[in-house]
Amino acid sequence: QVQLVESGGGMVQAGGSLRLSCAASGRTFTTYTMGWFRQVPGKEREFVADIRWTGGITGYADSVKGRFTMSRDYAKNTVYLQMNSLKPEDTAVYYCAARIGYGGPYNYWGQGTQVTVSS
C-alpha cells in the first residue's frame, strides 16, 4: 500500500520561503512520477509541479515557474517542493501525489498540508 505523508506547511509572509516534504513508502518508486498539487476552498485542485523519479525531469505550472523547485532524495524516498518568493495567492492546501509512469491520472494522494502566505 502506497503511503504519502506531507510535512513542512505553515504560515509565512509574502516574499518568504517554505520547503514541503513528501515521504513515500510501500513501493519501489523508480517508475513513478511524483507530483504536487494545491487547492483552495471552492476551487478545483490544480497542478503545481511534478518530477519523474528516475531521471529527475521536472515540470511546473506557469504560476510557479522560477519560484518553486521540486526535487527528490532516493535514499530517503522523499520528494521536496522548495517554494521561494511566496505570494498570498500561493495560499492553499498542498497535496503530494504519485502515479505509475509518466501519464494518466494520479493514483495515490497524501493528506495535504496547509500553506498560508500573508501580505
Side-chain angles (χ1 to χ4, degrees):
Q1 181 75 10
V2 173
Q3 284 194 321
L4 304 174
V5 180
E6 303 102 331
S7 60
M11 184 176 292
V12 65
Q13 288 190 329
S17 299
L18 282 174
R19 189 177 79 157
L20 304 183
S21 301
C22 173
S25 62
R27 288 285 191 278
T28 300
F29 291 94
T30 51
T31 61
Y32 278 59
T33 299
M34 306 296 293
W36 284 100
F37 291 75
R38 64 187 182 187
Q39 189 171 24
V40 298
K43 292 190 176 182
E44 291 189 358
R45 191 172 297 185
E46 67 171 0
F47 168 79
V48 175
D50 64 8
I51 189 167
R52 297 185 186 184
W53 199 269
T54 298
I57 297 171
T58 54
Y60 299 94
D62 287 344
S63 59
V64 306
K65 275 181 185 175
R67 301 188 298 122
F68 291 11
T69 303
M70 189 170 181
S71 61
R72 82 268 191 256
D73 185 322
Y74 281 116
K76 297 182 178 180
N77 244 22
T78 299
V79 295
Y80 303 96
L81 185 67
Q82 178 66 45
M83 305 186 294
N84 299 328
S85 302
L86 282 161
K87 305 174 182 180
E89 51 264 44
D90 294 317
T91 296
V93 177
Y94 283 71
Y95 296 90
C96 177
R99 67 180 175 197
I100 301 169
Y102 308 133
Y106 279 81
N107 311 98
Y108 307 100
W109 294 86
Q111 81 287 353
T113 185
Q114 176 71 46
V115 171
T116 302
V117 184
S118 61
S119 57

